[in-house]
Amino acid sequence: AYTNVGITSYDKNAQTFMVEYTPAQFSAEAAMNDMARYLGALYRQSCSTIISLTYLEKEYVWDNTGSLKGSNWMDGTTSLVSTIVANITSYNPAKGIEITVSDGVNEETLTLKFEVTSPI
């Protein structure tokens, strides 16, 4: 079982998955692991019909033989999570990370956002 480091929320109307961290909670590893678990859940939930995710014009499909703990969305030998992490320097908090989710018939844009909040 995995416990998210940050506080997660999902805005169904905006199709946005948000993770909020305090400065003490935040690390690149925590954000990567929280994101990977969410992306993995898109496939692993029993009612899922998602067959592919597209990020930066590359399509990723689930690798049933994959051994990653969170997400096994792969484009050949490259994981979606590693591609996102490699591009994180261009992360725009206002825009987030946009991923197209497809079930083979319908597509929806999903946005991932990460925010470090100030303690009260």
Side-chain angles (χ1 to χ4, degrees), residues 37-64:
R37 289 336 190 267
Y38 176 73
L39 292 172
L42 292 177
Y43 178 82
R44 289 187 176 111
Q45 57 187 324
S46 62
C47 60
S48 178
T49 60
I50 298 170
I51 61 169
S52 69
L53 303 178
T54 303
Y55 173 67
L56 297 178
E57 301 181 17
K58 286 188 179 180
E59 185 179 58
Y60 296 81
V61 295
W62 190 261
D63 179 357
N64 285 317

Side-chain angles (χ1 to χ4, degrees), residues 4 23 27 44-46 57 61 66-67 73-74 79-80 84 94 111:
N4 287 318
S27 71
R44 289 187 176 111
Q45 57 187 324
S46 62
E57 301 181 17
V61 295
S67 60
W73 293 104
M74 305 293 286
S79 75
L80 172 59
I84 292 171
T111 304

Side-chain angles (χ1 to χ4, degrees), residues 77-116:
T77 59
T78 306
S79 75
L80 172 59
V81 171
S82 65
T83 302
I84 292 171
V85 169
N87 290 299
I88 205 66
T89 56
S90 63
Y91 177 71
N92 176 343
K95 185 176 179 181
I97 298 166
E98 294 182 344
I99 296 172
T100 302
V101 177
S102 175
D103 65 3
V105 176
N106 301 297
E107 292 185 347
E108 186 74 44
T109 299
L110 169 67
T111 304
L112 308 175
K113 289 190 173 186
F114 304 92
E115 181 178 308
V116 178

